[in-house]
Amino acid sequence: GSAAAATDPYAALARASVTEFRSAWDAYRRLAWGRDELRPLTGAGSDFFIPGSTLGLTIVEALDTLYLMELDEELDAGVQWVRDDLVLGQDAPVQVFETIIRLVGGLLSGHLATKDTVLLDRARELADRLLPAFTRSPTGAPYRYVNLATGAVSGKENHLAEIGTCITEFGELSRLTGDRKYYDAAKKALHAVYERRSRLNLLGTGMNVETGAWTGTTATLDPPVDSFYEYLWDGWELYRDEDLRTWYSTLTAAVLEHLTERRSGRLWFRQADMRTGAATGHAQSELTAFYAGLLAQSGRVAEGEAYHASWAAALRSFRLPPESLDYHGMRALDPSYPLRPEYVDSCLFLWLTTGKELYRRRAAEMFRRQKQYCKVVNGYTVVRDVTARPMKLGDLTPAYWFSENAKYYYLLFARARRFDYRSNYLTTEGNVLRGLR
Ligand SMILES: O=C1NC[C@H](CO)[C@@H](O)[C@@H]1O
Ligand SMILES: [Ca+2]
């Protein structure tokens, strides 16, 4: 290779990131092609959205990763499956949030990568089937489920992340189709939550979308709230909607005032009563590790770096991040590791924001541990208990692994020719909506 390759310490990791992706992708193609997800130990497929049916989840989630890795034959096979075999009008309820971030987002990034208009048509058809969840809601906050064939809605008690994580996928659809109804529905949902914030500008965890009553009054960054905050900032970043920046700034100031906790010099985010601010818990989900990247992207670089350092310290106690930990004693509350991407998600965006090699080194360490503990004959599998020796493995390759982990490692190590490292946007599911070349 060129002289540069000889001196690039990440060239080997770049090649390895593609090799590891292919081990899982080839196993999926061989054993579960067209199914939502792969069970790598049993070598079977599994259903994510509708029992006994498929929406081709892993194929749709992998489309832009295949494009970035220049695996164009594989990409063509995936697009062909969407054109020939993806059936959307299924007479069954689907979870609106998961369908938007995974399928609408995956179809849109696949369209932006390939310019294939069928992928855009499918994204629009799917969004039109999901819209009744928003338009039938008295508050504008969407119902949790909608039947893709009949438009029947259900699940009036919904969570904040599920209510508020759609404005970038829906906004992109409005931009590409010229129809603002998608953006407007997503913004109305965000506002339905924002206008019910407490006097302290704190939010709860869930809402009755018919009455607007809070169903959970604990203020937290953990799921099921997490990406609500992410999409306020992202919506401002993509569409320069001043309302979204105001809502993000107001709510983030309250989070930093009432939820930050320093423990043994480490920065964490506790649970509190949304009305009084009184501390009510000190658990921390691994999913909240995304917040380190969001803080840095939204101008709070020091806090973002400090928070990522807390998770790097946690990784020195645990070989893989537990799903949830008690940061008062660094005890695993949920010892599973379902191949979560958030720690590496933040490595990528802290590296892009600060330029510090530290974040590529942390990502490389996580890549090595994922390979050491989660790699099996048919690709990668989840871990049921990271504290057991040897680790107890589960039997699933989550579709987000193809859209997130694998993509983030590649972008961090490979100097991807098809990615604009200076100007880009990735959704909470890792779908690239800006910056594909
Ligand atoms: O925002 C999300 N939450 C859960 C998954 C990854 O942990 C994934 O669907 C997405 O990143
Ligand atoms: Ca996410």
Side-chain angles (χ1 to χ4, degrees):
S2 68
T7 58
D8 179 352
Y10 289 96
L13 277 169
R15 287 191 297 275
S17 69
V18 179
T19 302
E20 296 313 310
F21 170 84
R22 288 218 64 150
S23 74
W25 176 255
D26 294 346
Y28 169 76
R29 280 210 72 173
R30 188 173 62 250
L31 301 165
W33 182 251
R35 300 290 301 277
D36 283 335
E37 294 179 309
L38 167 64
R39 293 202 179 284
L41 302 192
T42 46
S46 81
D47 308 328
F48 180 84
F49 292 99
I50 304 167
S53 181
T54 180
L55 284 160
L57 181 58
T58 293
I59 292 172
V60 175
E61 293 234 45
L63 291 176
D64 63 347
T65 305
L66 291 164
Y67 177 77
L68 288 167
M69 290 182 173
E70 304 181 23
L71 300 174
D72 292 334
E73 283 174 27
E74 300 302 325
L75 175 57
D76 291 347
V79 172
Q80 209 52 47
W81 189 91
V82 172
R83 296 171 74 101
D84 298 345
D85 300 304
L86 176 57
V87 176
L88 294 174
Q90 301 189 40
D91 185 0
V94 293
Q95 196 172 347
V96 172
F97 160 70
E98 296 288 4
T99 309
I100 290 171
I101 67 171
R102 293 164 179 259
L103 293 178
V104 175
L107 289 166
L108 285 174
S109 59
H111 163 70
L112 294 170
T114 62
K115 305 287 182 275
D116 187 311
T117 55
V118 171
L119 298 177
L120 177 57
D121 295 346
R122 287 285 189 286
R124 184 174 195 171
E125 179 194 341
L126 182 52
D128 287 340
R129 294 177 183 281
L130 294 167
L131 266 184
F134 295 81
T135 55
R136 293 184 165 176
S137 164
T139 60
Y143 287 87
R144 198 165 187 222
Y145 304 99
V146 67
N147 181 302
L148 287 178
T150 66
V153 295
S154 58
K156 63 180 186 294
E157 298 199 348
N158 206 351
H159 303 123
L160 260 54
E162 301 194 46
I163 291 168
T165 310
C166 50
I167 199 159
T168 66
E169 293 85 1
F170 273 16
E172 185 60 12
L173 206 47
S174 285
R175 186 182 73 84
L176 290 169
T177 63
D179 187 336
R180 4 173 352 111
K181 69 179 178 181
Y182 308 104
Y183 184 88
D184 292 346
K187 181 174 178 180
K188 190 176 179 204
L190 285 166
H191 188 252
V193 171
Y194 180 74
E195 64 180 343
R196 291 175 171 82
R197 66 194 183 284
S198 75
R199 207 172 27 80
L200 298 180
N201 289 323
L202 292 173
L203 303 175
T205 53
M207 171 190 291
N208 177 316
V209 303
E210 293 177 349
T211 66
W214 286 106
T215 54
T217 57
T218 297
T220 181
L221 284 176
D222 274 4
V225 180
D226 49 346
S227 51
F228 179 91
Y229 292 100
E230 180 178 3
Y231 270 38
L232 285 174
W233 175 258
D234 290 4
W236 154 250
E237 196 182 17
L238 281 187
Y239 306 109
R240 298 290 153 190
D241 184 330
E242 293 286 344
D243 290 337
L244 300 178
R245 182 171 63 168
T246 302
W247 303 348
Y248 178 80
S249 302
T250 302
L251 297 175
T252 300
V255 163
L256 294 176
E257 182 182 346
H258 297 286
L259 301 189
T260 54
E261 180 176 352
R262 292 204 180 268
R263 188 82 185 184
S264 319
R266 295 289 174 203
L267 172 62
W268 299 101
F269 295 94
R270 64 175 161 223
Q271 288 74 51
D273 181 299
M274 70 178 281
R275 295 190 177 89
T276 67
T280 59
H282 39 82
Q284 198 89 127
S285 162
E286 183 281 343
L287 284 89
T288 308
F290 90 95
Y291 199 58
L294 179 61
L295 283 169
Q297 283 175 291
S298 59
R300 290 182 167 80
V301 179
E303 293 93 330
E305 293 204 83
Y307 189 48
H308 202 262
S310 300
W311 278 105
L315 270 179
R316 288 194 284 276
S317 307
F318 301 96
R319 298 187 186 180
L320 289 171
E323 183 76 343
S324 174
L325 60 78
D326 173 350
Y327 59 79
H328 277 186
M330 291 310 280
R331 201 166 39 84
L333 298 173
D334 175 343
S336 68
Y337 174 63
L339 282 173
R340 294 288 186 192
E342 285 76 10
Y343 179 76
V344 173
D345 184 347
S346 285
C347 284
L348 174 61
F349 287 101
L350 280 161
W351 176 57
L352 289 176
T353 306
T354 66
K356 292 182 180 175
E357 283 305 303
L358 169 66
Y359 298 107
R360 289 220 283 181
R361 289 199 296 274
R362 285 183 181 169
E365 180 57 26
M366 187 64 201
F367 177 78
R368 280 190 284 270
R369 292 187 190 197
Q370 185 188 251
K371 185 176 177 185
Q372 180 178 356
Y373 296 113
C374 308
K375 186 182 176 64
V376 291
V377 168
N378 294 322
Y380 278 77
T381 200
V382 298
V383 178
R384 288 192 297 117
D385 185 344
V386 302
T387 65
R389 293 291 175 269
M391 286 197 190
K392 290 179 190 158
L393 298 182
D395 184 16
L396 182 70
T397 313
Y400 53 68
W401 185 84
F402 294 90
S403 181
E404 296 203 59
N405 310 54
K407 179 188 285 137
Y408 301 156
Y409 289 128
Y410 184 71
L411 292 178
L412 275 154
F413 305 144
R415 298 183 186 152
R417 291 182 298 194
R418 294 181 177 179
F419 186 71
D420 183 340
Y421 283 82
R422 282 178 319 288
S423 171
N424 55 72
Y425 170 70
L426 276 67
T427 70
T428 196
E429 190 74 11
N431 288 307
V432 185
L433 298 186
R434 294 287 184 282
L436 286 173
R437 285 187 171 139

